[in-house]
Amino acid sequence: MPRRFAGLCGATVATTSMLALAAPHASATVNTLSVSHESYQTPGTFVLDAFTDDVAPVWFLDNGAPISGSPLTPKRITDETSPCPSSCWVGMTWYPKTLGSHHLVAEQRAANGSVLSSRAKDIDVTTLPSSGSSNLLTGSAG
């Protein structure tokens, strides 16, 4: 009897260990979200940067809708100048399609889609990107 119990315990511990390794990161945190205006390069474009403490995918949202290109996988920063030793960074250029208020969010999600962590910024877009932006729909008369 004790031998069967020991075998069962060993199998339970092994299974629990494997599940813990395969489980999504429950501690992923979006530490910062920065939004910078790139008016000197392309008027109306913005750069969105997020620093996280994990490489779980980051979704960038504009007024609740995913921004084209999301989700993105953060890259680990190994540089001594990083905000913290376990920092990860992800960023993208955003080309807004409408003027006015925009609620921008960076969120890390688990494999099942649940939000692990998020940060938000509210901005007011006063200039749309020029026609050279890759995210604008353009056409020709002809």
Side-chain angles (χ1 to χ4, degrees), residues 57-118:
V58 172
W59 291 78
F60 287 105
L61 308 171
D62 172 24
N63 293 332
I67 294 174
S68 179
S70 289
L72 299 168
T73 302
K75 305 291 184 222
R76 291 211 181 273
I77 300 172
T78 56
D79 177 341
E80 299 84 36
T81 63
S82 67
C84 61
S86 61
S87 271
C88 300
W89 168 86
V90 64
M92 69 182 305
T93 302
W94 172 56
Y95 305 95
K97 294 182 168 99
T98 60
L99 296 173
S101 297
H102 291 264
H103 182 69
L104 301 173
V105 177
E107 60 185 31
Q108 279 192 304
R109 296 182 185 177
N112 66 5
S114 64
V115 176
L116 299 171
S117 176
S118 67

Side-chain angles (χ1 to χ4, degrees), residues 30-57:
V30 178
N31 296 313
T32 62
L33 168 62
S34 67
V35 180
S36 54
H37 191 250
E38 291 291 316
S39 61
Y40 62 92
Q41 289 180 353
T42 306
T45 62
F46 295 82
V47 174
L48 310 179
D49 292 297
F51 284 92
T52 68
D53 66 359
D54 192 83
V55 293

